[in-house]
């Protein structure tokens, strides 16, 4: 008989000295709670310090979801309703998330001293490599709103190899013209900074209706302890340079892009124009009915389904089941491939309530979703 050999078996996760299985379980639970709450970091950049919060752990061969908020908001007030939505949990379980707060916009941020030179939007975009280097992340899927959408687009133009996809809500890629400047100055004579920012975020119809959502965000912005900082971010947004997108030209986004805007939103025309300048084979345009100026706040369910669809097109979450949009009464696919941006005749497809996926549609299509 062969001599038996002694084999030592080691626990995969050995207990620490003096640690019982109960305390080990408590420690693991505490670590999970910490991940769920997010871990906040700050990193120094050539243009000052920037704060960001990380949720989850990096997944092998998967990019990070990287968000950037609009003026008057921070990452929580801009994105929390979307990322806390029930159907979104399937997505966030599969990706690590990085939520950036523009300098001085994070909760508890001190007011910048008088005369402080706030970074331009281009400089805010140049801070992003410092964040990714700190986290040792190589690629991202960007989700930006308004000013944040512009910043992520600027970053994607200069670092195309690190951006796998972009979801751009309410993007205005154009610099302000002389007429825009005149209107802005005249508005500034009769309106306060909070009212001007609210007019940037929400439609006039929404502001007139003064819903609970509008009252909430009017209160957040009007009574913000860092209102002086918000005004600096607002000024940087209004002094943005033209992104100079050109369909078929050198200056364009190389990655898949989903443009999103609400029907009758303040930036509807700007997003339509942006869509006409991007590569139609890489760009989807989602115009959401009944969503107002901030679709991620008012229609998180519709936007979540569209985001899942977008990720599937990129090769992620292939087994994800589409439910909410496929229960919609109507999903219209409108061809938007004309070079001059003129919208051609729409092609409407009725969807069965039993359908598990959205119709694939041609590349560069517009999805107008109403429920």
């Amino acid at each position: 008989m062969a001599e038996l050999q002694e084999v030592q078996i080691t626990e995969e996760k050995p207990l620490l000295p003096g640690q019982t299985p109960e305390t080990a379980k408590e420690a693991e639970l505490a670590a999970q709670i910490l991940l769920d709450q997010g871990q906040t970091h700050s990193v120094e950049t050539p243009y000052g310090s920037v704060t960001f919060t990380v949720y989850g752990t990096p997944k092998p061969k998967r990019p990070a979801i990287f968000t950037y908020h609009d003026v008057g908001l921070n990452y929580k007030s801009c994105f929390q309703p979307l990322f806390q939505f029930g159907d979104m949990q399937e997505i966030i379980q599969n990706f690590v998330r990085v939520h950036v707060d523009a300098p001085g916009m994070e909760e508890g941020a001190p007011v910048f001293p008088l005369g402080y030179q706030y970074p331009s939007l281009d400089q805010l975009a140049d801070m992003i490599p410092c964040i990714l280097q700190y986290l040792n992340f190589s690629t991202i899927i960007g989700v930006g709103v308004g000013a944040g959408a512009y910043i992520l687009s600027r970053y994607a133009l200069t670092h195309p190899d690190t951006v796998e996809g972009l979801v751009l809500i309410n993007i205005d890629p154009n610099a302000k013209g002389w007429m825009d400047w005149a209107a802005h100055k005249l508005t500034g004579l009769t309106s306060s900074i909070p009212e001007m920012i609210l007019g940037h975020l929400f439609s006039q119809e929404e502001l007139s209706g003064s819903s609970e959502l509008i009252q909430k965000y009017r209160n957040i912005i009007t009574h913000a302890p860092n209102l002086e900082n918000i005004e600096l971010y607002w000024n940087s947004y209004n002094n943005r340079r033209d992104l100079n997108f050109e369909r078929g030209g050198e200056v364009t986004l190389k990655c898949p892009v989903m443009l999103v805007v609400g029907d009758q939103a303040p930036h509807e025309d700007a997003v339509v124009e942006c869509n006409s300048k991007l590569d139609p084979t890489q760009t989807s345009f989602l115009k959401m009915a009944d969503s107002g100026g901030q679709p991620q706040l008012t229609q998180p369910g519709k936007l979540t389904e569209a985001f899942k669809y977008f990720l599937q097109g990129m090769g992620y979450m292939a087994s994800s089941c589409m439910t909410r949009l496929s229960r919609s009464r109507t999903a219209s696919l409108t061809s938007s491939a004309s070079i001059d941006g003129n919208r051609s005749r729409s092609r409407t497809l009725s969807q069965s309530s039993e359908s598990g996926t959205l119709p694939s549609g041609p590349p560069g299509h517009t999805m107008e979703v109403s429920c």
Side-chain angles (χ1 to χ4, degrees):
M1 176 182 289
E3 184 178 350
L4 294 176
Q5 293 181 340
E6 183 178 353
V7 179
Q8 184 176 2
I9 300 176
T10 306
E11 285 186 274
E12 184 179 353
K13 294 183 179 179
L15 298 175
L16 297 174
Q19 189 179 42
T20 65
E22 289 75 17
T23 57
K25 188 173 183 180
E26 290 175 1
E28 187 176 345
L29 180 60
Q32 185 59 48
I33 291 174
L34 184 62
L35 287 176
D36 292 341
Q37 292 178 339
Q39 296 174 294
T40 300
H41 309 266
S42 292
V43 63
E44 288 297 327
T45 79
Y47 306 104
S49 177
V50 62
T51 300
F52 51 94
T53 305
V54 182
Y55 288 82
T57 54
K59 305 298 187 292
K61 298 181 180 180
R62 291 208 169 188
I65 292 175
F66 191 98
T67 74
Y68 217 117
H69 62 86
D70 202 354
V71 176
L73 310 173
N74 57 29
Y75 92 84
K76 287 186 177 179
S77 56
C78 188
F79 290 109
Q80 209 166 55
L82 176 65
F83 284 95
Q84 288 186 347
F85 189 77
D87 290 349
M88 179 61 79
Q89 305 315 301
E90 182 182 3
I91 294 177
I92 64 177
Q93 289 170 4
N94 287 280
F95 296 89
V96 64
R97 287 178 289 147
V98 181
H99 297 288
V100 180
D101 280 317
M105 304 303 125
E106 67 275 13
E107 290 184 344
V111 174
F112 290 122
L114 189 65
Y116 175 80
Q117 183 63 46
Y118 197 81
S120 66
L121 294 197
D122 289 9
Q123 291 170 335
L124 292 176
D126 288 339
M127 290 180 171
I128 294 176
C130 299
I131 299 174
L132 299 184
Q133 183 178 9
Y134 177 88
L135 296 171
N136 196 27
F137 290 171
S138 56
T139 60
I140 64 170
I141 295 172
V143 182
V145 181
Y150 179 102
I151 291 165
L152 290 176
S153 297
R154 176 65 71 185
Y155 171 75
L157 289 175
T158 53
H159 299 80
D161 293 340
T162 67
V163 182
E164 292 196 22
L166 287 172
V167 177
L168 305 175
I169 303 170
N170 296 338
I171 185 171
D172 187 344
N174 303 315
K176 279 187 174 294
W178 287 110
M179 295 297 293
D180 297 320
W181 266 113
H184 178 73
K185 292 297 183 183
L186 287 173
T187 304
L189 295 175
T190 58
S191 302
S192 65
I193 293 296
E195 287 302 318
M196 292 172 69
I197 293 174
L198 286 165
H200 161 79
L201 296 173
F202 300 100
S203 68
Q204 287 304 311
E205 183 180 354
E206 289 175 289
L207 293 174
S208 300
S210 194
S211 64
E212 184 178 335
L213 177 74
I214 297 300
Q215 292 177 27
K216 173 185 175 181
Y217 280 83
R218 177 176 277 118
N219 184 64
I220 287 174
I221 296 170
T222 303
H223 298 102
N226 63 336
L227 185 57
E228 291 91 342
N229 297 357
I230 294 174
E231 183 175 357
L232 293 176
Y233 188 21
W234 174 239
N235 290 338
S236 287
Y237 176 71
N238 286 313
N239 283 291
R240 66 190 180 276
R241 295 192 302 141
D242 200 310
L243 288 175
N244 291 314
F245 289 147
E246 183 182 359
R247 178 172 290 183
E250 290 298 319
V251 182
T252 190
L253 298 173
K254 310 292 187 183
C255 63
V257 178
M258 182 168 73
L259 300 174
V260 182
V261 70
D263 196 13
Q264 304 300 317
H267 305 285
E268 182 180 355
D269 291 343
V271 179
V272 170
E273 182 181 351
C274 182
N275 183 51
S276 73
K277 294 180 177 180
L278 295 179
D279 181 354
T281 67
Q282 291 277 65
T283 308
S284 296
F285 178 24
L286 175 62
K287 187 165 76 170
M288 301 178 65
D290 306 321
S291 64
Q294 298 292 308
Q296 80 283 2
L297 301 179
T298 59
Q299 298 287 357
K302 293 180 185 178
L303 189 53
T304 295
E305 284 298 306
F307 191 28
K308 286 183 183 179
Y309 180 55
F310 181 68
L311 291 171
Q312 280 192 330
M314 296 174 59
Y316 298 111
M317 301 183 64
S319 60
S320 176
C321 178
M322 300 300 165
T323 56
R324 188 168 299 272
L325 287 186
S326 59
R327 288 198 300 264
S328 301
R329 295 195 199 99
T330 308
S332 302
L333 297 180
T334 305
S335 171
S336 56
S338 58
I339 299 299
D340 61 359
N342 291 331
R343 298 176 61 193
S344 59
R345 185 172 53 87
S346 65
R347 179 168 58 90
T348 303
L349 302 180
S350 300
Q351 287 179 239
S352 167
S353 60
E354 290 82 20
S355 171
T357 60
L358 288 169
S360 57
H365 60 268
T366 300
M367 296 181 291
E368 298 185 14
V369 184
S370 59
C371 293

